[in-house]
Amino acid sequence: MATAQAEKTIITLRGSVATVVEFFGYAVNSLLFQRGVYPAEAFSTVSKYKLQMTVTTDKGLKAYLGNVLQQLSEWLMRKMVQKLVLVISGENEEVLERWVFNIQADDISGGAAPAEKSEESVQREIQAIIKQITATQTFLPLLPDYCTFDLLVYTNADADVPNAWEMSDPKLVVNATNVKLRAFSTHIHKVDTSVSYRGE
């Protein structure tokens, strides 16, 4: 019985990857909605992290994000991801905002014991990040009516990259203001969040 109870709090690599990828999916959807990159009617509301979250109903966007998250999951399982970046650009590809999610993976190889952390604790940390992302709308400049977005994944040099993926420049914000946000940890992965934006 004691063993069964302990297993409830053990976070495996696969479980940690699933948590991180799920967070990215909701975070990207939330940002695309809140920053008006896609129209409000392209989203529906679901309950997650004890919050009302927005997820896209646009078939093309769902397919694109699904492909990115699937590949991200495979790279995370191999510990080959350093960061995920959401870039929002205006006309003439001028970068207006750059949301960075840095990823640190602990080394659990070599017989190291699996990390223990309750799912509830991880969910609370993620909830705090989502709330903070929402709160940034109070100080971020309004974006123009027409915006596009890119997702950049920073990987190790030896990562296998599908042919459909392209190399990209870092798409930095010129004269940026940088704001560091909260982080969450599964004890296997730690995700730090920050945003850079161009002032008005």
Side-chain angles (χ1 to χ4, degrees):
M1 180 64 70
T3 300
Q5 290 176 342
E7 288 177 351
K8 293 180 181 179
T9 62
I10 290 177
I11 299 176
T12 63
L13 174 60
R14 186 173 299 279
S16 180
V17 167
T19 297
V20 171
V21 170
E22 183 180 59
F23 162 73
F24 284 146
Y26 280 108
V28 170
N29 269 280
S30 180
L31 285 168
L32 295 179
F33 169 77
Q34 292 177 24
R35 304 307 290 143
V37 179
Y38 275 73
E41 55 267 25
F43 295 87
S44 62
T45 303
V46 298
S47 180
K48 185 66 180 178
Y49 309 125
K50 297 183 179 179
L51 299 170
Q52 292 301 301
M53 304 293 297
T54 50
V55 294
T56 185
T57 56
D58 182 277
K59 291 183 179 179
L61 181 57
K62 285 175 67 175
Y64 170 75
L65 293 178
N67 289 335
V68 171
L69 295 176
Q70 180 179 355
Q71 183 59 59
L72 183 66
S73 178
E74 294 177 12
W75 279 329
L76 283 169
M77 285 297 298
R78 296 179 175 88
K79 302 178 185 177
M80 290 188 168
V81 181
Q82 301 166 11
K83 68 179 72 174
L84 176 75
V85 179
L86 169 64
V87 176
I88 300 177
S89 304
E91 294 183 9
N92 302 318
E93 299 185 353
E94 178 188 21
V95 178
L96 303 175
E97 289 180 11
R98 194 172 188 270
W99 294 82
V100 179
F101 302 91
N102 284 303
I103 304 167
Q104 299 175 17
D106 288 341
D107 185 6
I108 58 171
S109 60
E116 292 189 17
K117 187 171 185 178
S118 71
E119 181 179 353
E120 182 180 358
S121 176
V122 176
Q123 297 291 304
R124 282 199 303 267
E125 291 178 5
I126 293 176
Q127 181 192 70
I129 295 176
I130 296 296
K131 286 182 176 180
Q132 196 174 33
I133 288 175
T134 301
T136 63
Q137 311 310 307
T138 62
F139 64 80
L140 289 174
L142 289 175
L143 294 175
D145 291 337
Y146 175 79
C147 286
T148 60
F149 82 96
D150 292 285
L151 286 177
L152 312 180
V153 182
Y154 285 65
T155 65
N156 297 351
D158 57 345
D160 293 328
V161 180
N163 293 331
W165 288 61
E166 299 178 353
M167 296 294 292
S168 171
D169 66 86
K171 298 185 181 295
L172 301 175
V173 180
V174 177
N175 298 323
T177 297
N178 303 303
V179 179
K180 184 173 176 58
L181 305 177
R182 291 178 180 269
F184 80 89
S185 171
T186 65
H187 277 335
I188 295 177
H189 292 97
K190 181 181 180 183
V191 179
D192 293 296
T193 311
S194 63
V195 59
S196 302
Y197 63 94
R198 184 167 185 175
E200 294 180 292

